Amino acid sequence: MGFEVDDEARKRFMHGRTGDHVMGVGFECDVCNFRNINKRDVVWNSEKDLNTLRYIRRASLDVMWSRESDTVRDNFRRMQKDWKSAQEELTIGNVFPKMGRPEMEDKNGIGVAVVMLHTSKRKGRYGDHLQVETIRKTATWYMNAYTAITEEDDGTLFASDDKTMFASSSPTRTKWFQRFQLGMKRRMGVTRKQDEAINSEQILALLETGEHYWKLAADAQEKRGIANIMAFVVIGYGASLRGEEVPLASIKGLNEFWKESMSRGLLMVTLRGKFKGEDNLRWHLVPIVDVTSSGIQVKKWVRRLLFIRCHVDGVEEGPLFVNEAGKQARLSDYNSDFQMFIKQARERHPNVFSSKVEVEDYNLRRSLRRGSTTQAHNNGVPASTIELINRWRKKEAAKGAEPGLAMRQVYTQALSALETTLRSRGSNSEWLTARRPWLVYQVSNRPQTHCFNDHQQMEREKRVNIPI
């Protein structure tokens, strides 16, 4: 098979093929399927009934096109050849049961399929229709409702420590329905819109813009908004975190390990949260160098936001990032402001950003992580190391993890792993990789005054209200 030309592509999915009716799933005409769904005949002057027939035809064609034309043709030809040859020399009656079913019942879930097709026409986020993965949620809510209504208990098919599978008589679990979903996916395709990666030079332009507006800010509330975005950016980029992971940063953990970690030239970001499927909150400690080799000042912006939370809001624990209601923030609370700063940074540094990339292509969800990973590749970091770092959440959520460890125990383990990494790379005390070898910071011999809780430092900050 080669590439399909436009004419071939237009013909696909618009017609049936000889042999589609014997490809392993039941086939009934549009009118029979209408009767199975509605338990009555079609009213031919009803526009709703006629429209339903169109959707039924589309669902039937999607089932057929879940198999390629070559497969359908070869299966049907082999069936004809074998049967004809046997009939010439053997006495064989009709070995097939009668096609169709006598009862009027929708056993294959074509009614749900029609609803899914109708749902697909709603406008999506990036196109004029919804994506397949979004449409599949229709089958999910139907399955949940069906099981709740029927209260079926057909027994357990499979069970392990962390997963159980149950038998179900739901129409959305039939072979026909699985073929329908596959055919629909092949017809509609999958459009993936990735967030644009942001590189270190663009991060520096963004932070410079933040610094500019920080100095112009008239009050603590304006500075809070700037610090929220900039701290989010440096943590997400420096730790290669997904956007939804950054708001898990904890004030308590940052304060507790501030002096200890800064003496090592790193910032220990403490994340407090739980994974999907877990019942308990857990500590996750991720080290970042306080200043990267490209000049990204991680500590500076985290320290500013931490000061606002501790001395303006007067809190000692809880999330570092909060929304206007004081609850733990979501990345959606900051994304529009992040894009606003991207726009301002482009105007101030037009040579750093590509004019072909839209501002809306940068998002907190993945832009920071993709940029950090790309930077790692460019700096020659082994793929295995990048995979290890980017899969930290999957690794810690795996079987055998210890969810009950206290924060101090987790910190001790993180330091132990860090020292092991340094020794394995033959490092000396002048260089620190902080488990992320592409973010290297040279520790100078000047006195270390990184302690956030240092008395003299705090008194100075109180006098200037917000640290500059």
Side-chain angles (χ1 to χ4, degrees):
M1 290 182 62
F3 288 107
E4 290 183 341
V5 297
D6 290 341
D7 288 342
E8 291 176 341
R10 279 194 292 266
K11 292 177 182 178
R12 284 176 65 89
F13 312 112
M14 297 300 293
H15 60 86
R17 300 151 302 187
T18 302
D20 273 324
H21 62 299
V22 289
M23 281 303 296
V25 293
F27 171 80
E28 294 186 74
C29 71
D30 301 338
V31 174
C32 288
N33 278 320
F34 183 95
R35 291 168 178 163
N36 290 334
I37 297 172
N38 297 290
K39 306 298 186 293
R40 64 173 176 82
D41 264 328
V42 179
V43 178
W44 294 102
N45 61 356
S46 168
E47 185 60 34
K48 288 180 66 175
D49 283 12
L50 296 179
N51 201 32
T52 303
L53 287 172
R54 297 186 187 101
Y55 279 90
I56 291 173
R57 173 69 61 87
R58 178 70 271 163
S60 296
L61 288 173
D62 282 344
V63 172
M64 295 175 185
W65 281 93
S66 66
R67 293 295 181 266
E68 290 295 333
S69 296
D70 289 345
T71 304
V72 175
R73 182 189 64 244
D74 293 345
N75 179 76
F76 189 67
R77 286 180 177 176
R78 181 57 185 265
M79 183 185 75
Q80 287 182 311
K81 183 177 181 179
D82 291 353
W83 186 251
K84 182 179 180 180
S85 174
Q87 287 283 353
E88 291 174 351
E89 300 185 18
L90 304 173
T91 302
I92 303 176
N94 191 359
V95 298
F96 297 109
K98 187 176 181 181
M99 184 169 285
R101 63 169 63 98
E103 69 277 9
M104 192 180 296
E105 184 179 0
D106 179 17
K107 289 187 174 181
N108 288 326
I110 194 166
V112 184
V114 166
V115 174
M116 289 180 67
L117 291 172
H118 184 265
T119 300
S120 71
K121 296 180 66 177
R122 291 206 295 260
K123 184 174 177 59
R125 180 177 298 180
Y126 302 118
D128 57 358
H129 60 79
L130 295 179
Q131 294 294 309
V132 171
E133 291 306 312
T134 303
I135 303 169
R136 287 167 63 94
K137 294 179 181 179
T138 300
T140 300
W141 67 248
Y142 176 85
M143 175 63 182
N144 291 334
Y146 180 92
T147 305
I149 294 170
T150 59
E151 299 184 39
E152 63 178 7
D153 184 14
D154 292 342
T156 302
L157 293 180
F158 168 82
S160 65
D161 291 339
D162 56 352
K163 178 180 287 188
T164 304
M165 297 176 63
F166 297 96
S168 174
S169 62
S170 170
T172 58
R173 290 295 185 263
T174 61
K175 187 176 181 180
W176 184 96
F177 200 86
Q178 302 309 309
R179 291 269 188 98
F180 159 71
Q181 292 189 102
L182 177 58
M184 180 179 65
K185 183 177 181 179
R186 289 182 173 179
R187 172 175 55 85
M188 297 182 65
V190 178
T191 302
R192 291 186 172 90
K193 184 175 177 62
Q194 288 187 327
D195 292 342
E196 184 70 20
I198 184 167
N199 60 42
S200 59
E201 192 176 4
Q202 293 168 339
I203 293 285
L204 289 171
L206 188 65
L207 297 180
E208 187 279 331
T209 302
E211 185 68 30
H212 171 75
Y213 285 104
W214 175 272
K215 292 177 179 178
L216 296 178
D219 54 39
Q221 197 60 28
E222 287 186 40
K223 291 191 172 184
R224 179 200 300 275
I226 299 169
N228 275 331
I229 302 303
M230 300 305 148
F232 198 111
V233 167
V234 295
I235 291 176
Y237 185 82
S240 189
L241 296 177
R242 300 178 179 91
E244 62 269 20
E245 295 168 347
V246 178
L248 300 177
S250 164
I251 292 175
K252 180 180 179 182
L254 283 167
N255 266 330
E256 180 163 341
F257 303 123
W258 188 271
K259 181 177 181 179
E260 228 175 309
S261 60
M262 281 301 165
S263 66
R264 298 171 178 266
L266 60 91
L267 175 69
M268 188 67 77
V269 177
T270 53
L271 307 178
R272 179 67 165 164
K274 66 179 181 179
F275 298 119
K276 182 178 180 180
E278 288 185 342
D279 297 322
N280 301 318
L281 294 173
R282 293 169 55 185
W283 289 104
H284 309 277
L285 273 62
V286 185
I288 318 174
V289 290
D290 55 2
V291 180
T292 73
S293 59
S294 56
I296 298 173
Q297 299 185 12
V298 178
K299 180 195 72 172
K300 176 181 180 179
W301 284 105
V302 174
R303 176 174 166 274
R304 283 175 169 175
L305 181 57
L306 188 58
F307 181 83
I308 293 173
R309 292 287 287 127
C310 291
H311 295 280
V312 177
D313 296 346
V315 297
E316 296 181 356
E317 57 182 46
L320 178 65
F321 297 96
V322 293
N323 56 25
E324 294 180 356
K327 304 296 183 181
Q328 180 173 300
R330 304 167 66 94
L331 69 90
S332 57
D333 295 325
Y334 297 147
N335 201 58
S336 60
D337 288 340
F338 169 70
Q339 292 177 342
M340 184 271 292
F341 275 107
I342 289 286
K343 182 178 180 181
Q344 296 295 329
R346 286 180 60 163
E347 294 176 358
R348 293 174 62 82
H349 304 274
N351 296 329
V352 174
F353 294 86
S354 172
S355 59
K356 297 180 180 180
V357 180
E358 300 293 333
V359 171
E360 291 73 19
D361 292 336
Y362 294 100
N363 290 282
L364 290 174
R365 183 174 299 278
R366 290 294 184 273
S367 287
L368 301 173
R369 179 185 175 94
R370 291 194 67 223
S372 180
T373 302
T374 302
Q375 186 76 25
H377 280 295
N378 293 341
N379 288 355
V381 179
S384 57
T385 302
I386 298 173
E387 178 72 9
L388 174 64
I389 292 167
N390 285 349
R391 295 292 182 179
W392 68 271
R393 189 166 75 165
K394 180 178 179 180
K395 178 178 180 293
E396 292 190 15
K399 183 178 179 180
E402 299 176 270
L405 291 181
M407 180 170 57
R408 171 57 63 174
Q409 291 176 291
V410 178
Y411 178 73
T412 302
Q413 287 190 357
L415 287 183
S416 176
L418 176 63
E419 296 300 332
T420 300
T421 303
L422 292 174
R423 287 196 300 271
S424 68
R425 292 182 175 273
S427 303
N428 56 50
S429 60
E430 293 181 347
W431 292 93
L432 189 63
T433 59
R435 210 179 64 175
R436 282 162 173 74
W438 64 91
L439 299 176
V440 181
Y441 171 70
Q442 188 170 12
V443 182
S444 68
N445 293 323
R446 67 182 184 274
Q448 301 293 320
T449 57
H450 296 303
C451 175
F452 183 80
N453 292 316
D454 180 81
H455 178 70
Q456 294 179 349
Q457 182 76 356
M458 296 299 286
E459 288 300 317
R460 184 187 70 79
E461 290 169 350
K462 288 178 181 177
R463 288 196 296 272
V464 298
N465 187 28
I466 301 297
I468 303 301

